[in-house]
């Protein structure tokens, strides 16, 4: 027995000794089979026979070391590969598995005065089987807003690169943007929380769902209106019916740009303490004839502190927003009054108002205040400096009106002096030798005080004759630009120097009409001018005929023309058309140039029955022609003078 005990296992030896030395009654084995929820399950025994607890590891340390050093492949060979698990597609694995998030977004309300924005609560659903999403807003009855499915089920783009939202991008306390709307995720359900945590995503703490301010305002109890019972209003109505205080006031707005002082009539109705303001229209004041500036209403004088931002333009003010209203004692003659931002000054009232203030408030002195203002002196219009273009009178018209008009003309002077022209022969004062022999004809038009200058053409002179200066007024050299002084008839006499735009001319001779005009208007001329004319007449003898005085443009170098003129004068002694021939040509020659065109020339000859078919007259017309279409009628008329 001793030898057997020596070779027995240590654990068994200990158990036998324990069994032998203890008083035990239960020696059954532990149950290794059990049932849970109706299913049979195997369980490992924790106690042995007799109820002793079994050690966790039944093997000794030597056995454990031997097992650790063994290689199962050498003993049992290469293990067989386990068969792969069955493939389960995503639409089967995640079928009917949906992540739910509670969110909201803010929507602007621009066309409402009661709310500026609106909070709309939505549910965001994420379908795991195909990574699609949908946004659904719970329907609220009678909300007036299209609700329900806001975004149908689809894959939603996350950015412009083509990425889509994944369940890894969703979490509590974040904002996501879908089709331009920003949604704030505040909470998720329990399944969503467990799924995200099982996938290793750390969830943010939940947030409180935002509430719509207008909806919360609607949940407040309705305001109860209590109509106070006051019988004084009926008494006031019956006592002061049709009794109105009338005040005359002005609104002086001249301090602002384009402001003015306007008159108004303020009515205060004693029956209900209301006020209206009427405009006073004047004839041709240029304003629309609407009667009222302010409709009849009660006017608050002092508002409650919290009612300063009250929308008075859309809502009526009640007694709860006003501390004090305007009453009759606030309307006093001679004191300003501010109504709706405008300050009116009351300067007078009617007799009934004076009597009411005397009986009610004891104010007997309400004198009228003089508010008439003296008109300021007219502003003197200063013309800008003359720029040198055109006449001064024409340029000044641009300063008087937006659409300039022609300056007024002296009609009587034009009618009395129509077709009256003063002609003078002048020479050009110039240091150039070629200009000393040049002669010019000055024509002064008495109707318009204008001057034109004509230079008779001289054959083979090298200078083109013709119009030297058109009809215009000529300013004297020493006159100012603001007050120009023009040349007049009294400035033209024999020996006078006329400066025309920097060129100096000396008057050499005049025609007989100038002599007659100076004789009949001697008071207009200076003694020096009259003396020069007398000396000139004495120098050249007796006054010759008018046609001889017009001989200032004759070319003395042409002997053929002179001979032809002498021949015609001898052969055609008695010619009835000689009378008024010169006046007819001068009437057509408005510029007094001494030339008329051929068409007009032949018309005048036909009207005077001049025999233009005669060979001598044809030759005379040829010699008097200047160019292709002009004829010198002075030389032509000389042939018919006696």
């Amino acid at each position: 027995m001793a030898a057997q005990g020596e070779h027995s296992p240590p654990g068994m030896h200990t158990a036998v000794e324990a069994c032998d030395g203890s008083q035990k009654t239960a020696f059954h084995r532990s149950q290794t089979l059990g049932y849970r929820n109706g299913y049979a399950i195997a369980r490992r025994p924790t106690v042995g026979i007799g109820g002793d607890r079994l050690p966790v590891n039944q093997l000794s340390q030597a056995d454990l070391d031997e097992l650790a050093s063994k290689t199962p492949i050498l003993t049992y060979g290469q293990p067989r590969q386990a068969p792969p698990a069955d493939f389960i597609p995503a639409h089967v694995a995640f079928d009917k598995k949906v992540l739910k998030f509670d969110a909201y977004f803010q929507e602007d309300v621009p066309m409402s005065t009661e709310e500026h924005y609106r909070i709309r609560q939505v549910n965001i659903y994420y379908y795991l089987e195909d990574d699609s999403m949908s946004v659904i807003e719970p329907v609220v009855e009678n909300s007036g807003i299209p609700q329900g499915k806001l975004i149908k089920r689809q894959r939603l783009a996350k950015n412009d690169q083509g990425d889509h939202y994944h369940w890894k991008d969703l979490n509590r306390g974040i904002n996501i943007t879908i089709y331009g709307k920003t949604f704030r995720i505040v909470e998720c359900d329990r399944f969503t929380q467990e799924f995200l945590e099982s996938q290793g995503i750390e969830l943010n703490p939940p947030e409180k769902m935002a509430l719509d301010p207008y909806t919360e305002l609607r949940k407040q109890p309705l305001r109860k209106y209590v109509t106070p019972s006051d019988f004084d209003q009926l008494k006031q109505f019956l006592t002061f019916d049709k009794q109105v205080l009338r005040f005359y006031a002005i609104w002086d707005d001249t301090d602002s740009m384009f402001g003015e002082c306007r008159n108004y009539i303020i009515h205060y109705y004693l029956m209900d303490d209301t006020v209206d303001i009427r405009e006073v229209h004047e004839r041709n004041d240029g304003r629309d004839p609407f009667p009222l500036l302010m409709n009849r209403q009660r006017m608050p004088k002092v508002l409650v502190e919290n009612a300063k931002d009250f929308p008075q333009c859309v809502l009526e003010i009640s007694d709860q927003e006003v501390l004090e209203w305007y009453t009759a004692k606030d309307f006093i003659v001679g004191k300003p009054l501010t109504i709706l931002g405008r300050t009116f000054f009351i300067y007078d009232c009617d007799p009934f108002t004076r009597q009411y203030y005397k009986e009610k408030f004891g104010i007997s002195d309400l004198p009228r205040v003089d508010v008439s203002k003296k008109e300021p002196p007219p502003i003197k219009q200063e013309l800008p400096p003359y720029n040198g273009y055109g006449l001064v009178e024409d340029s000044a018209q641009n300063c008087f009106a937006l659409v300039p008009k022609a300056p007024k003309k002296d009609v009587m002077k034009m009618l009395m002096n129509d077709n009256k022209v003063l002609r003078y022969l002048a020479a050009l004062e110039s240091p150039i030798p070629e200009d000393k022999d040049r002669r010019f004809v000055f024509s002064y038009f008495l109707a318009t005080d204008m001057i034109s200058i004509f230079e008779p053409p001289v054959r083979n002179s090298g200078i083109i004759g013709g119009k030297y200066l058109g009809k215009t007024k000529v300013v004297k050299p020493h006159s100012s630009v603001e007050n120009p002084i023009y040349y007049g008839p009294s400035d033209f006499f024999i020996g006078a120097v006329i400066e025309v735009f920097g060129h100096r001319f000396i008057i050499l001779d005049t025609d007989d009409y100038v002599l007659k005009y100076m004789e009949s208007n001697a008071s207009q001329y200076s003694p020096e001018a009259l003396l020069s004319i007398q000396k000139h007449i004495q120098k050249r003898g007796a006054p010759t005929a008018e046609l001889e005085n017009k001989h200032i443009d004759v070319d003395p170098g042409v002997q053929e023309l002179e001979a032809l003129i002498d021949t015609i004068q001898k052969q055609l002694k008695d010619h009835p058309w000689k009378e008024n021939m010169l006046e007819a040509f001068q009437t057509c020659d408005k510029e007094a140039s001494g030339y008329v065109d051929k068409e007009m020339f032949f018309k005048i000859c036909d009207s005077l029955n001049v025999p233009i078919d005669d060979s001598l007259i044809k030759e005379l017309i040829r010699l008097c022609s200047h160019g292709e279409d002009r004829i010198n009628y002075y030389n032509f008329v000389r042939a018919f003078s006696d």
Side-chain angles (χ1 to χ4, degrees):
M1 290 296 294
Q4 248 179 1
E6 291 178 359
H7 296 283
S8 61
M12 184 179 290
H13 179 72
T14 306
V16 173
E17 291 179 354
C19 292
D20 294 339
S22 61
Q23 299 290 330
K24 295 182 179 180
T25 59
F27 296 95
H28 63 274
R29 298 181 62 182
S30 300
Q31 183 71 25
T32 59
L33 182 63
Y35 289 87
R36 179 179 294 178
N37 296 331
Y39 293 92
I41 58 173
R43 58 183 180 182
R44 185 177 180 181
T46 57
V47 296
I49 298 174
D52 295 334
R53 182 169 294 276
L54 297 176
V56 177
N57 195 352
Q58 300 291 340
L59 299 177
S60 62
Q61 186 64 33
D63 296 335
L64 293 175
D65 295 340
E66 182 180 359
L67 291 175
S69 62
K70 283 184 178 182
T71 305
I73 298 177
L74 297 178
T75 304
Y76 304 102
Q78 190 72 20
R80 295 180 181 180
Q81 187 175 2
D86 296 336
F87 173 73
I88 302 176
H91 66 274
V92 176
F94 297 107
D95 184 27
K96 298 181 181 179
K97 293 184 179 181
V98 183
L99 306 183
K100 179 184 176 183
F101 298 91
D102 298 334
Y104 69 90
F105 69 95
Q106 180 174 323
E107 182 183 31
D108 293 336
V109 185
M111 302 300 293
S112 175
T113 58
E114 298 180 354
E115 54 178 341
H116 302 289
Y117 65 92
R118 184 179 297 131
I119 300 296
R120 301 180 64 175
Q121 301 176 3
V122 297
N123 295 327
I124 301 177
Y125 295 95
Y126 186 93
Y127 301 89
L128 295 174
E129 57 178 322
D130 57 355
D131 296 329
S132 60
M133 299 176 63
S134 66
V135 180
I136 299 176
E137 181 180 8
V139 178
V140 179
E141 188 177 359
N142 297 328
S143 65
I145 303 174
Q147 295 176 328
K149 185 179 293 185
L150 300 183
I151 301 175
K152 66 180 181 179
R153 180 176 174 179
Q154 57 184 295
R155 297 193 68 186
L156 299 177
K158 181 172 64 174
N159 49 37
D160 298 336
Q161 285 73 26
D163 299 334
H164 296 83
Y165 277 108
H166 194 261
W167 53 265
K168 297 180 181 179
D169 301 323
L170 304 179
N171 202 336
R172 293 185 299 206
I174 64 171
N175 295 332
I176 61 172
T177 302
I178 302 175
Y179 293 135
K181 291 185 178 180
T182 301
F183 296 86
R184 180 72 176 181
I185 301 177
V186 297
E187 185 56 284
C188 62
D189 60 358
R190 183 177 179 182
F191 171 77
T192 303
Q193 180 178 356
E194 292 177 354
F195 176 80
L196 295 179
E197 289 178 350
S198 66
Q199 299 298 325
I201 296 178
E202 183 179 355
L203 293 177
N204 297 329
E207 296 181 357
K208 186 178 180 181
M209 175 63 74
L211 301 177
D212 184 32
Y214 181 72
T215 304
E216 298 299 319
L217 180 63
R218 292 286 301 270
K219 293 180 181 179
Q220 296 180 2
L222 296 177
R223 181 178 177 181
K224 296 181 180 179
Y225 296 90
V226 178
T227 303
S229 57
D230 190 1
F231 301 110
D232 293 338
Q233 294 183 358
L234 178 59
K235 179 181 179 181
Q236 180 182 2
F237 174 80
L238 297 176
T239 305
F240 298 104
D241 186 23
K242 298 182 180 181
Q243 295 186 12
V244 182
L245 305 181
R246 175 176 292 183
F247 302 91
Y248 302 95
I250 61 171
W251 175 45
D252 191 356
D253 192 37
T254 54
D255 294 337
S256 61
M257 183 180 294
F258 309 114
E260 56 183 347
C261 186
R262 300 171 61 181
N263 295 327
Y264 294 91
I265 296 177
I266 302 177
H267 289 155
Y268 185 88
Y269 298 86
L270 295 175
M271 57 179 292
D272 54 358
D273 297 328
T274 55
V275 181
D276 70 3
I277 302 177
R278 299 176 179 267
E279 289 198 19
V280 178
H281 293 281
E282 298 179 358
R283 188 175 184 180
N284 298 328
D285 59 357
R287 298 187 176 276
D288 294 335
F290 60 91
L292 292 176
L293 175 68
M294 187 190 73
N295 288 327
R296 180 177 173 180
Q297 57 184 302
R298 295 186 69 187
M299 291 306 304
K301 183 178 180 181
V302 181
L303 295 176
V304 181
E305 185 67 23
N306 298 330
K308 292 184 177 180
D309 299 332
F310 187 81
Q312 303 181 19
C313 58
V314 295
L315 297 178
E316 294 184 359
I317 297 179
S318 61
D319 293 336
Q320 297 182 1
E321 288 84 17
V322 180
L323 291 178
E324 183 180 359
W325 298 89
Y326 274 110
T327 58
K329 63 181 179 181
D330 298 319
F331 295 81
I332 304 297
V333 176
K335 292 185 179 180
L337 185 69
T338 302
I339 299 177
L340 295 180
R342 295 190 181 187
T343 301
F344 297 89
F345 181 78
I346 302 176
Y347 66 90
D348 197 6
C349 60
D350 61 352
F352 172 77
T353 304
R354 285 190 171 87
Q355 184 66 26
Y356 177 81
Y357 272 79
K358 182 177 180 180
E359 297 176 357
K360 181 70 175 180
F361 303 107
I363 302 175
S364 58
D365 188 13
L366 291 175
R368 174 187 174 90
V369 180
D370 187 11
V371 294
S372 60
K373 293 184 178 180
K374 296 182 180 179
E375 296 184 359
I379 301 176
K380 184 179 180 181
Q381 295 183 351
E382 296 183 0
L383 298 179
Y386 177 61
N387 55 6
Y389 295 97
L391 299 177
V392 178
E393 293 81 1
D394 291 337
S395 300
Q397 295 300 320
N398 295 279
C399 304
F400 299 147
L402 293 177
V403 180
K405 299 180 181 179
K408 294 183 178 180
K409 299 179 181 180
D410 191 350
V411 181
M412 295 300 299
K413 182 178 180 181
M414 294 178 63
L415 295 176
M416 294 175 63
N417 298 317
D418 188 24
N419 295 329
K420 292 183 179 181
V421 183
L422 306 180
R423 293 181 174 86
Y424 305 87
L425 179 65
L428 179 63
E429 184 181 11
S430 174
I432 302 175
E434 290 79 2
D435 294 339
K436 292 183 179 180
D437 296 333
R438 298 175 65 181
R439 295 295 180 265
F440 299 86
V441 177
F442 275 68
S443 299
Y444 187 91
F445 299 88
L446 294 174
T448 59
D449 294 331
M450 291 187 177
I451 299 173
S452 68
I453 303 176
F454 177 79
E455 182 179 6
V458 179
R459 185 174 295 180
N460 298 327
S461 64
I463 299 175
I464 301 176
K467 184 188 295 185
Y468 187 80
L469 177 67
K471 293 175 63 176
T472 183
K473 291 184 178 181
V474 180
V475 183
K476 291 185 178 181
H478 300 293
S479 62
S480 61
V481 179
E482 293 77 9
N483 298 314
I485 302 176
Y486 300 102
Y487 279 107
S490 60
D491 298 319
F492 290 85
F493 54 88
I494 303 300
V497 178
I498 307 299
E499 184 173 344
V500 180
F501 303 119
H503 299 274
R504 295 168 60 87
F505 297 88
I506 301 177
I507 304 298
L508 301 179
D509 198 0
T510 63
D511 60 0
D512 287 347
Y513 182 77
V514 175
L515 300 178
K516 295 178 182 179
Y517 181 81
M518 294 181 66
E519 183 179 357
S520 59
N521 300 277
S523 59
Q524 297 181 8
Y525 292 89
S526 62
E528 180 184 0
L530 298 176
L531 182 61
S532 65
I533 293 298
Q534 291 177 1
K535 290 182 179 180
H536 180 69
I537 294 174
Q538 293 174 2
K539 183 178 180 180
R540 72 177 185 177
T544 58
E546 180 181 356
L547 294 177
E548 294 177 353
N549 288 321
K550 300 297 182 182
H551 190 51
I552 59 179
D553 58 350
V554 176
D555 186 5
V558 184
Q559 298 180 359
E560 183 181 0
L561 178 61
E562 296 294 336
L564 182 60
I565 290 175
D566 293 339
T567 303
I568 293 176
Q569 288 179 351
K570 292 177 182 180
Q571 292 185 4
L572 303 176
K573 292 183 179 180
D574 298 330
H575 39 277
W577 61 83
K578 68 177 182 179
E579 297 180 359
N580 300 326
M581 181 182 292
L582 182 61
E583 287 86 357
F585 284 113
Q586 288 180 346
T587 302
C588 298
D589 185 15
K590 299 296 183 180
E591 298 181 356
S593 61
Y595 293 88
V596 294
D597 55 3
K598 285 187 177 182
E599 183 180 358
M600 184 60 65
F601 177 82
F602 287 117
K603 286 183 179 180
I604 296 175
C605 292
D606 291 340
S607 63
L608 298 176
N609 297 323
V610 178
I612 57 177
D613 296 334
D614 189 80
S615 59
L616 295 178
I617 295 179
K618 286 184 177 180
E619 183 65 18
L620 178 62
I621 293 174
R622 186 185 67 81
L623 294 176
C624 293
S625 298
H626 181 73
E628 297 181 357
D629 56 350
R630 302 182 67 188
I631 296 177
N632 188 336
Y633 64 85
Y634 279 147
N635 292 335
F636 183 80
V637 173
R638 284 177 55 234
F640 303 100
S641 62
D642 296 335

